[in-house]
Amino acid sequence: MKRIIPVLAIGIFLVMAACGNSYKENRRISKAEKVRLDSIDRIAFKVGVLPTLDCLPVYVAYDDSLFKSAGVRVHLKFFTAQMDCDTALVGGSVQGSITDLVRAERLQQRVALTYPIATNTYWQLVTNRLSRIHKLYQLSDKMIADTRFSATDLLTDIAIKKGRPRYNVYRIQINDINIRLRMLENNEMDAMFLTEPQATKARLLGGPVLLDSRDLDLQLGVFAFRKTDLAGRKQQMHLFIKAYNQAVDSINKHGLQFYGPLISKYCGSDPQTIKALPSLMFSHAHSPKSRDIERAKE
């Protein structure tokens, strides 16, 4: 018995020593792997995206390896609030991001931006079916969810001017897209501007549409990129747009329903919403119209 105890002690010591070496080795490997991944991320073309359909060409190009085939490494940075996209854009953690011209023109005060891609984004003012709001003037003494200094802010201005409600309209800043839609579902908000696919979900909930930005002849959606970053990444930008255009061709050829699983994956849409999505056509990368930029500046 006395002999066994020292042998056990030695065995336990060797096991602990091996574990200690293994732990140190794992830490060393993990650190080296982190350095490697950080290095890859630095040279990658980083783009901020939202769970909205205006980002679909980017999602298609990413998931179908069109970026890879074109020869550009793209890392997507996922956000659920436009404000977070803007923070990443200003801070330089992304080279480009989905946004709208109203926000982008305001950001120009802090960082020089360019708009090589105008999107087909539109916004609809959808009301809570329980609020019994069917006309713009009925927004009187009601709450509208929007984002300050954004396209939804501008559109809210237009809705109020058109409706001329008797009493104040209370503008509540709800930046997160998913939270905004959830508040409509839970009857916590009277009205809000939504883009697709969230607008379709709101319509399925029975919410009337009071205003559609397409009827105002406004095209405010864009992908904005940092000018200073693009100075040294012209080839990456060229290849990004090449793959983007290929994705647009594929979406227009096959239709939104073909990419239902992808929309569910990145936008969180349920099958019923995906089935009810309107038929949309996407355009090749092009700059926004000067009149839309001027309107956003105002």
Short mmCIF file of all heavy atoms in Angstrom, two decimals, residues 45-50 52-68 74-78 96-98 117 119 222-225 237 240-241 243-249 251 259 262 266 282-283 285:
data_model
loop_
_atom_site.label_atom_id
_atom_site.label_comp_id
_atom_site.label_asym_id
_atom_site.label_seq_id
_atom_site.Cartn_x
_atom_site.Cartn_y
_atom_site.Cartn_z
N PHE A 45 -12.67 43.07 -47.43
CA PHE A 45 -13.55 44.20 -47.73
C PHE A 45 -14.76 44.05 -46.81
O PHE A 45 -15.57 43.13 -46.98
CB PHE A 45 -13.96 44.14 -49.20
CG PHE A 45 -14.39 45.45 -49.77
CD1 PHE A 45 -13.53 46.54 -49.79
CD2 PHE A 45 -15.65 45.62 -50.32
CE1 PHE A 45 -13.91 47.75 -50.34
CE2 PHE A 45 -16.05 46.82 -50.87
CZ PHE A 45 -15.17 47.89 -50.88
N LYS A 46 -14.90 44.92 -45.84
CA LYS A 46 -15.93 44.76 -44.80
C LYS A 46 -17.12 45.69 -45.09
O LYS A 46 -16.93 46.88 -45.33
CB LYS A 46 -15.32 45.05 -43.42
CG LYS A 46 -14.23 44.05 -43.03
CD LYS A 46 -13.55 44.39 -41.74
CE LYS A 46 -12.60 45.56 -41.88
NZ LYS A 46 -11.45 45.24 -42.75
N VAL A 47 -18.31 45.08 -45.03
CA VAL A 47 -19.53 45.82 -45.38
C VAL A 47 -20.59 45.58 -44.31
O VAL A 47 -20.88 44.43 -43.94
CB VAL A 47 -20.06 45.37 -46.76
CG1 VAL A 47 -21.34 46.14 -47.11
CG2 VAL A 47 -19.00 45.60 -47.84
N GLY A 48 -21.20 46.66 -43.83
CA GLY A 48 -22.27 46.58 -42.84
C GLY A 48 -23.61 46.34 -43.52
O GLY A 48 -23.93 46.96 -44.54
N VAL A 49 -24.39 45.41 -42.97
CA VAL A 49 -25.68 45.06 -43.56
C VAL A 49 -26.77 45.00 -42.49
O VAL A 49 -26.49 44.86 -41.30
CB VAL A 49 -25.61 43.70 -44.30
CG1 VAL A 49 -24.80 43.81 -45.57
CG2 VAL A 49 -25.03 42.61 -43.38
N LEU A 50 -28.01 45.10 -42.95
CA LEU A 50 -29.19 45.02 -42.09
C LEU A 50 -30.08 43.85 -42.57
O LEU A 50 -29.93 43.39 -43.69
CB LEU A 50 -29.99 46.32 -42.16
CG LEU A 50 -29.36 47.56 -41.51
CD1 LEU A 50 -30.14 48.81 -41.91
CD2 LEU A 50 -29.33 47.43 -40.00
N THR A 52 -32.68 43.44 -44.15
CA THR A 52 -33.65 44.03 -45.06
C THR A 52 -33.36 43.59 -46.50
O THR A 52 -32.24 43.21 -46.83
CB THR A 52 -33.61 45.57 -44.97
OG1 THR A 52 -32.24 46.02 -45.09
CG2 THR A 52 -34.16 46.05 -43.63
N LEU A 53 -34.38 43.68 -47.34
CA LEU A 53 -34.26 43.16 -48.71
C LEU A 53 -33.31 43.96 -49.58
O LEU A 53 -32.84 43.45 -50.60
CB LEU A 53 -35.64 43.10 -49.38
CG LEU A 53 -36.48 41.85 -49.13
CD1 LEU A 53 -37.68 41.84 -50.06
CD2 LEU A 53 -35.68 40.58 -49.30
N ASP A 54 -33.04 45.21 -49.23
CA ASP A 54 -32.10 45.99 -50.04
C ASP A 54 -30.69 45.41 -49.97
O ASP A 54 -29.85 45.71 -50.80
CB ASP A 54 -32.10 47.47 -49.66
CG ASP A 54 -32.04 47.71 -48.16
OD1 ASP A 54 -31.83 46.74 -47.41
OD2 ASP A 54 -32.22 48.86 -47.73
N CYS A 55 -30.45 44.55 -48.98
CA CYS A 55 -29.14 43.89 -48.84
C CYS A 55 -29.10 42.53 -49.54
O CYS A 55 -28.06 41.86 -49.53
CB CYS A 55 -28.79 43.69 -47.36
SG CYS A 55 -28.50 45.23 -46.46
N LEU A 56 -30.22 42.11 -50.13
CA LEU A 56 -30.29 40.77 -50.72
C LEU A 56 -29.20 40.50 -51.76
O LEU A 56 -28.61 39.41 -51.75
CB LEU A 56 -31.68 40.53 -51.32
CG LEU A 56 -31.92 39.11 -51.86
CD1 LEU A 56 -31.73 38.05 -50.78
CD2 LEU A 56 -33.32 39.00 -52.47
N PRO A 57 -28.90 41.42 -52.70
CA PRO A 57 -27.82 41.13 -53.65
C PRO A 57 -26.48 40.82 -52.96
O PRO A 57 -25.73 39.96 -53.43
CB PRO A 57 -27.73 42.42 -54.48
CG PRO A 57 -29.10 43.00 -54.41
CD PRO A 57 -29.57 42.72 -53.02
N VAL A 58 -26.23 41.49 -51.86
CA VAL A 58 -24.99 41.23 -51.11
C VAL A 58 -25.05 39.85 -50.47
O VAL A 58 -24.07 39.10 -50.47
CB VAL A 58 -24.75 42.33 -50.05
CG1 VAL A 58 -23.56 41.98 -49.17
CG2 VAL A 58 -24.54 43.68 -50.71
N TYR A 59 -26.20 39.50 -49.92
CA TYR A 59 -26.35 38.18 -49.30
C TYR A 59 -26.20 37.07 -50.34
O TYR A 59 -25.56 36.04 -50.08
CB TYR A 59 -27.71 38.06 -48.61
CG TYR A 59 -27.86 38.93 -47.39
CD1 TYR A 59 -29.05 39.61 -47.12
CD2 TYR A 59 -26.81 39.08 -46.48
CE1 TYR A 59 -29.18 40.40 -45.99
CE2 TYR A 59 -26.94 39.86 -45.36
CZ TYR A 59 -28.12 40.53 -45.11
OH TYR A 59 -28.26 41.32 -43.99
N VAL A 60 -26.78 37.28 -51.51
CA VAL A 60 -26.67 36.28 -52.58
C VAL A 60 -25.22 36.15 -53.03
O VAL A 60 -24.70 35.03 -53.18
CB VAL A 60 -27.58 36.66 -53.77
CG1 VAL A 60 -27.30 35.75 -54.97
CG2 VAL A 60 -29.05 36.57 -53.37
N ALA A 61 -24.55 37.26 -53.26
CA ALA A 61 -23.16 37.22 -53.69
C ALA A 61 -22.27 36.57 -52.65
O ALA A 61 -21.30 35.87 -52.98
CB ALA A 61 -22.67 38.65 -53.99
N TYR A 62 -22.61 36.76 -51.39
CA TYR A 62 -21.83 36.18 -50.29
C TYR A 62 -22.08 34.68 -50.17
O TYR A 62 -21.13 33.89 -50.13
CB TYR A 62 -22.21 36.89 -48.99
CG TYR A 62 -21.42 36.47 -47.77
CD1 TYR A 62 -20.12 36.94 -47.56
CD2 TYR A 62 -21.97 35.62 -46.81
CE1 TYR A 62 -19.40 36.56 -46.45
CE2 TYR A 62 -21.26 35.23 -45.69
CZ TYR A 62 -19.97 35.71 -45.51
OH TYR A 62 -19.26 35.33 -44.40
N ASP A 63 -23.35 34.27 -50.12
CA ASP A 63 -23.67 32.86 -49.91
C ASP A 63 -23.40 32.00 -51.15
O ASP A 63 -23.07 30.82 -51.02
CB ASP A 63 -25.15 32.72 -49.51
CG ASP A 63 -25.32 32.51 -48.02
OD1 ASP A 63 -24.65 33.24 -47.26
OD2 ASP A 63 -26.11 31.64 -47.61
N ASP A 64 -23.55 32.57 -52.33
CA ASP A 64 -23.31 31.82 -53.57
C ASP A 64 -21.85 31.91 -54.04
O ASP A 64 -21.54 31.52 -55.17
CB ASP A 64 -24.23 32.32 -54.68
CG ASP A 64 -25.67 31.88 -54.46
OD1 ASP A 64 -25.93 31.18 -53.47
OD2 ASP A 64 -26.54 32.24 -55.29
N SER A 65 -21.01 32.46 -53.18
CA SER A 65 -19.56 32.55 -53.45
C SER A 65 -19.22 33.37 -54.69
O SER A 65 -18.19 33.16 -55.32
CB SER A 65 -18.94 31.14 -53.60
OG SER A 65 -19.11 30.40 -52.41
N LEU A 66 -20.11 34.32 -55.04
CA LEU A 66 -19.82 35.19 -56.18
C LEU A 66 -18.66 36.14 -55.88
O LEU A 66 -17.87 36.45 -56.77
CB LEU A 66 -21.06 35.99 -56.57
CG LEU A 66 -22.28 35.16 -57.03
CD1 LEU A 66 -23.45 36.07 -57.35
CD2 LEU A 66 -21.91 34.30 -58.23
N PHE A 67 -18.59 36.58 -54.63
CA PHE A 67 -17.46 37.43 -54.23
C PHE A 67 -16.15 36.65 -54.36
O PHE A 67 -15.16 37.14 -54.89
CB PHE A 67 -17.63 37.93 -52.79
CG PHE A 67 -18.70 38.97 -52.61
CD1 PHE A 67 -19.63 38.86 -51.58
CD2 PHE A 67 -18.78 40.07 -53.45
CE1 PHE A 67 -20.61 39.81 -51.41
CE2 PHE A 67 -19.76 41.04 -53.28
CZ PHE A 67 -20.68 40.90 -52.26
N LYS A 68 -16.19 35.43 -53.86
CA LYS A 68 -15.00 34.58 -53.90
C LYS A 68 -14.58 34.31 -55.34
O LYS A 68 -13.39 34.38 -55.68
CB LYS A 68 -15.28 33.27 -53.17
CG LYS A 68 -14.07 32.35 -53.04
CD LYS A 68 -14.43 31.10 -52.25
CE LYS A 68 -13.21 30.18 -52.12
NZ LYS A 68 -13.54 28.93 -51.36
N VAL A 74 -14.83 39.21 -48.90
CA VAL A 74 -15.80 40.12 -48.27
C VAL A 74 -16.22 39.56 -46.91
O VAL A 74 -16.58 38.38 -46.81
CB VAL A 74 -17.04 40.32 -49.16
CG1 VAL A 74 -18.09 41.16 -48.45
CG2 VAL A 74 -16.64 40.99 -50.48
N HIS A 75 -16.15 40.40 -45.90
CA HIS A 75 -16.66 40.05 -44.58
C HIS A 75 -17.88 40.92 -44.31
O HIS A 75 -17.79 42.16 -44.38
CB HIS A 75 -15.61 40.28 -43.50
CG HIS A 75 -14.54 39.23 -43.49
ND1 HIS A 75 -13.54 39.19 -42.55
CD2 HIS A 75 -14.33 38.16 -44.31
CE1 HIS A 75 -12.76 38.16 -42.79
NE2 HIS A 75 -13.21 37.52 -43.85
N LEU A 76 -19.01 40.30 -44.02
CA LEU A 76 -20.22 41.05 -43.70
C LEU A 76 -20.30 41.29 -42.20
O LEU A 76 -20.03 40.40 -41.40
CB LEU A 76 -21.46 40.29 -44.18
CG LEU A 76 -21.54 39.98 -45.67
CD1 LEU A 76 -22.87 39.30 -46.01
CD2 LEU A 76 -21.36 41.24 -46.50
N LYS A 77 -20.68 42.49 -41.84
CA LYS A 77 -20.89 42.85 -40.44
C LYS A 77 -22.39 43.08 -40.25
O LYS A 77 -22.98 43.97 -40.86
CB LYS A 77 -20.11 44.12 -40.09
CG LYS A 77 -18.60 44.03 -40.37
CD LYS A 77 -17.91 43.02 -39.50
CE LYS A 77 -16.41 42.98 -39.77
NZ LYS A 77 -15.70 42.01 -38.91
N PHE A 78 -22.98 42.26 -39.40
CA PHE A 78 -24.44 42.24 -39.27
C PHE A 78 -24.93 43.15 -38.15
O PHE A 78 -24.44 43.07 -37.01
CB PHE A 78 -24.92 40.81 -39.01
CG PHE A 78 -24.54 39.85 -40.11
CD1 PHE A 78 -23.39 39.08 -40.01
CD2 PHE A 78 -25.32 39.73 -41.24
CE1 PHE A 78 -23.03 38.21 -41.02
CE2 PHE A 78 -24.97 38.86 -42.27
CZ PHE A 78 -23.82 38.09 -42.16
N GLY A 96 -17.77 49.97 -46.06
CA GLY A 96 -19.05 50.45 -46.58
C GLY A 96 -20.20 49.90 -45.79
O GLY A 96 -20.03 48.97 -44.98
N SER A 97 -21.37 50.46 -46.01
CA SER A 97 -22.55 50.01 -45.27
C SER A 97 -23.83 50.39 -45.99
O SER A 97 -23.88 51.39 -46.71
CB SER A 97 -22.56 50.61 -43.86
OG SER A 97 -23.74 50.27 -43.17
N ILE A 98 -24.87 49.62 -45.75
CA ILE A 98 -26.20 49.99 -46.20
C ILE A 98 -26.66 51.19 -45.37
O ILE A 98 -26.38 51.26 -44.17
CB ILE A 98 -27.19 48.81 -46.03
CG1 ILE A 98 -28.52 49.12 -46.69
CG2 ILE A 98 -27.36 48.44 -44.57
CD1 ILE A 98 -28.49 49.20 -48.18
N ILE A 117 -23.57 52.63 -55.11
CA ILE A 117 -24.72 51.74 -55.28
C ILE A 117 -25.97 52.37 -54.70
O ILE A 117 -26.07 52.59 -53.49
CB ILE A 117 -24.48 50.37 -54.61
CG1 ILE A 117 -23.24 49.69 -55.18
CG2 ILE A 117 -25.72 49.47 -54.77
CD1 ILE A 117 -22.88 48.39 -54.45
N THR A 119 -29.93 51.69 -54.03
CA THR A 119 -30.76 50.49 -53.90
C THR A 119 -32.21 50.78 -54.26
O THR A 119 -32.59 51.94 -54.46
CB THR A 119 -30.70 49.94 -52.46
OG1 THR A 119 -31.40 50.85 -51.59
CG2 THR A 119 -29.26 49.80 -51.99
N VAL A 222 -29.08 53.59 -50.27
CA VAL A 222 -27.75 53.47 -50.88
C VAL A 222 -26.84 52.57 -50.04
O VAL A 222 -27.10 52.33 -48.87
CB VAL A 222 -27.04 54.85 -51.03
CG1 VAL A 222 -27.73 55.74 -52.03
CG2 VAL A 222 -26.91 55.55 -49.67
N PHE A 223 -25.79 52.10 -50.69
CA PHE A 223 -24.62 51.58 -49.99
C PHE A 223 -23.58 52.70 -50.04
O PHE A 223 -23.20 53.14 -51.12
CB PHE A 223 -24.06 50.33 -50.66
CG PHE A 223 -24.73 49.05 -50.21
CD1 PHE A 223 -25.77 48.51 -50.95
CD2 PHE A 223 -24.32 48.40 -49.05
CE1 PHE A 223 -26.39 47.34 -50.54
CE2 PHE A 223 -24.93 47.23 -48.63
CZ PHE A 223 -25.97 46.70 -49.38
N ALA A 224 -23.16 53.15 -48.86
CA ALA A 224 -22.18 54.23 -48.78
C ALA A 224 -20.81 53.64 -48.42
O ALA A 224 -20.72 52.70 -47.62
CB ALA A 224 -22.59 55.25 -47.73
N PHE A 225 -19.75 54.20 -49.01
CA PHE A 225 -18.39 53.72 -48.76
C PHE A 225 -17.49 54.89 -48.38
O PHE A 225 -17.68 56.02 -48.84
CB PHE A 225 -17.83 53.01 -49.99
CG PHE A 225 -18.49 51.68 -50.26
CD1 PHE A 225 -19.68 51.62 -50.96
CD2 PHE A 225 -17.92 50.51 -49.81
CE1 PHE A 225 -20.31 50.41 -51.21
CE2 PHE A 225 -18.53 49.29 -50.04
CZ PHE A 225 -19.72 49.23 -50.74
N MET A 237 -13.17 47.22 -54.71
CA MET A 237 -14.46 47.85 -54.99
C MET A 237 -14.97 47.42 -56.36
O MET A 237 -16.15 47.12 -56.53
CB MET A 237 -14.31 49.37 -54.93
CG MET A 237 -15.63 50.14 -55.07
SD MET A 237 -16.67 50.08 -53.60
CE MET A 237 -18.04 49.09 -54.15
N PHE A 240 -16.13 43.86 -56.07
CA PHE A 240 -17.34 43.82 -55.25
C PHE A 240 -18.56 44.15 -56.12
O PHE A 240 -19.58 43.44 -56.07
CB PHE A 240 -17.22 44.82 -54.09
CG PHE A 240 -18.43 44.86 -53.19
CD1 PHE A 240 -18.52 44.03 -52.07
CD2 PHE A 240 -19.48 45.73 -53.44
CE1 PHE A 240 -19.63 44.07 -51.24
CE2 PHE A 240 -20.60 45.78 -52.63
CZ PHE A 240 -20.67 44.95 -51.52
N ILE A 241 -18.45 45.21 -56.90
CA ILE A 241 -19.56 45.63 -57.76
C ILE A 241 -19.83 44.59 -58.85
O ILE A 241 -20.98 44.31 -59.20
CB ILE A 241 -19.27 47.01 -58.38
CG1 ILE A 241 -19.38 48.09 -57.29
CG2 ILE A 241 -20.21 47.31 -59.53
CD1 ILE A 241 -19.07 49.48 -57.76
N ALA A 243 -19.45 41.31 -58.62
CA ALA A 243 -20.20 40.22 -57.99
C ALA A 243 -21.61 40.68 -57.62
O ALA A 243 -22.58 39.91 -57.73
CB ALA A 243 -19.46 39.72 -56.76
N TYR A 244 -21.74 41.92 -57.16
CA TYR A 244 -23.04 42.49 -56.81
C TYR A 244 -23.97 42.45 -58.02
O TYR A 244 -25.13 42.03 -57.92
CB TYR A 244 -22.86 43.92 -56.31
CG TYR A 244 -24.14 44.62 -55.92
CD1 TYR A 244 -24.58 44.62 -54.59
CD2 TYR A 244 -24.92 45.32 -56.86
CE1 TYR A 244 -25.75 45.27 -54.22
CE2 TYR A 244 -26.08 45.97 -56.50
CZ TYR A 244 -26.49 45.94 -55.18
OH TYR A 244 -27.66 46.58 -54.81
N ASN A 245 -23.46 42.87 -59.17
CA ASN A 245 -24.27 42.89 -60.40
C ASN A 245 -24.66 41.47 -60.84
O ASN A 245 -25.77 41.26 -61.34
CB ASN A 245 -23.52 43.61 -61.52
CG ASN A 245 -23.42 45.09 -61.29
OD1 ASN A 245 -24.16 45.66 -60.51
ND2 ASN A 245 -22.47 45.74 -61.96
N GLN A 246 -23.77 40.52 -60.64
CA GLN A 246 -24.09 39.13 -60.96
C GLN A 246 -25.23 38.63 -60.07
O GLN A 246 -26.13 37.90 -60.53
CB GLN A 246 -22.85 38.25 -60.78
CG GLN A 246 -21.78 38.47 -61.84
CD GLN A 246 -20.51 37.69 -61.54
OE1 GLN A 246 -20.28 37.24 -60.41
NE2 GLN A 246 -19.67 37.51 -62.55
N ALA A 247 -25.19 39.02 -58.80
CA ALA A 247 -26.25 38.63 -57.86
C ALA A 247 -27.58 39.25 -58.26
O ALA A 247 -28.63 38.60 -58.20
CB ALA A 247 -25.87 39.04 -56.44
N VAL A 248 -27.55 40.50 -58.69
CA VAL A 248 -28.76 41.20 -59.16
C VAL A 248 -29.37 40.45 -60.34
O VAL A 248 -30.58 40.21 -60.39
CB VAL A 248 -28.44 42.66 -59.55
CG1 VAL A 248 -29.56 43.25 -60.38
CG2 VAL A 248 -28.20 43.49 -58.30
N ASP A 249 -28.53 40.05 -61.28
CA ASP A 249 -29.02 39.30 -62.45
C ASP A 249 -29.69 37.99 -62.03
O ASP A 249 -30.73 37.61 -62.57
CB ASP A 249 -27.87 39.01 -63.41
CG ASP A 249 -27.34 40.25 -64.11
OD1 ASP A 249 -28.09 41.25 -64.18
OD2 ASP A 249 -26.18 40.24 -64.57
N ILE A 251 -31.09 37.28 -59.06
CA ILE A 251 -32.35 37.55 -58.35
C ILE A 251 -33.44 37.89 -59.35
O ILE A 251 -34.57 37.38 -59.26
CB ILE A 251 -32.17 38.71 -57.34
CG1 ILE A 251 -31.18 38.32 -56.24
CG2 ILE A 251 -33.52 39.07 -56.71
CD1 ILE A 251 -30.75 39.48 -55.37
N TYR A 259 -35.10 32.62 -53.56
CA TYR A 259 -34.14 32.91 -52.49
C TYR A 259 -34.82 32.98 -51.11
O TYR A 259 -34.30 33.60 -50.18
CB TYR A 259 -33.40 34.21 -52.79
CG TYR A 259 -32.40 34.06 -53.91
CD1 TYR A 259 -32.67 34.55 -55.18
CD2 TYR A 259 -31.20 33.38 -53.71
CE1 TYR A 259 -31.77 34.39 -56.22
CE2 TYR A 259 -30.29 33.21 -54.74
CZ TYR A 259 -30.58 33.72 -55.99
OH TYR A 259 -29.67 33.54 -57.01
N LEU A 262 -32.70 32.04 -48.14
CA LEU A 262 -31.70 33.08 -47.84
C LEU A 262 -32.34 34.26 -47.12
O LEU A 262 -31.75 34.83 -46.19
CB LEU A 262 -31.05 33.54 -49.15
CG LEU A 262 -29.61 34.05 -49.06
CD1 LEU A 262 -28.69 32.96 -48.58
CD2 LEU A 262 -29.15 34.55 -50.43
N TYR A 266 -31.19 35.51 -43.35
CA TYR A 266 -30.60 36.81 -43.04
C TYR A 266 -31.60 37.86 -42.56
O TYR A 266 -31.21 38.82 -41.89
CB TYR A 266 -29.86 37.34 -44.27
CG TYR A 266 -28.59 36.60 -44.55
CD1 TYR A 266 -28.46 35.79 -45.69
CD2 TYR A 266 -27.50 36.68 -43.68
CE1 TYR A 266 -27.29 35.10 -45.95
CE2 TYR A 266 -26.32 35.99 -43.94
CZ TYR A 266 -26.22 35.19 -45.07
OH TYR A 266 -25.06 34.51 -45.31
N PHE A 282 -34.29 44.33 -59.09
CA PHE A 282 -33.10 45.00 -58.58
C PHE A 282 -32.29 45.55 -59.74
O PHE A 282 -32.34 45.03 -60.85
CB PHE A 282 -32.26 44.02 -57.76
CG PHE A 282 -32.90 43.62 -56.45
CD1 PHE A 282 -33.93 42.70 -56.42
CD2 PHE A 282 -32.48 44.18 -55.25
CE1 PHE A 282 -34.53 42.34 -55.22
CE2 PHE A 282 -33.07 43.82 -54.05
CZ PHE A 282 -34.10 42.90 -54.04
N SER A 283 -31.55 46.62 -59.47
CA SER A 283 -30.76 47.29 -60.51
C SER A 283 -29.27 47.06 -60.29
O SER A 283 -28.82 46.90 -59.16
CB SER A 283 -31.04 48.80 -60.51
OG SER A 283 -32.40 49.06 -60.75
N ALA A 285 -25.41 48.15 -60.00
CA ALA A 285 -24.84 49.24 -59.22
C ALA A 285 -24.79 50.53 -60.03
O ALA A 285 -24.29 50.55 -61.16
CB ALA A 285 -23.44 48.87 -58.75
#
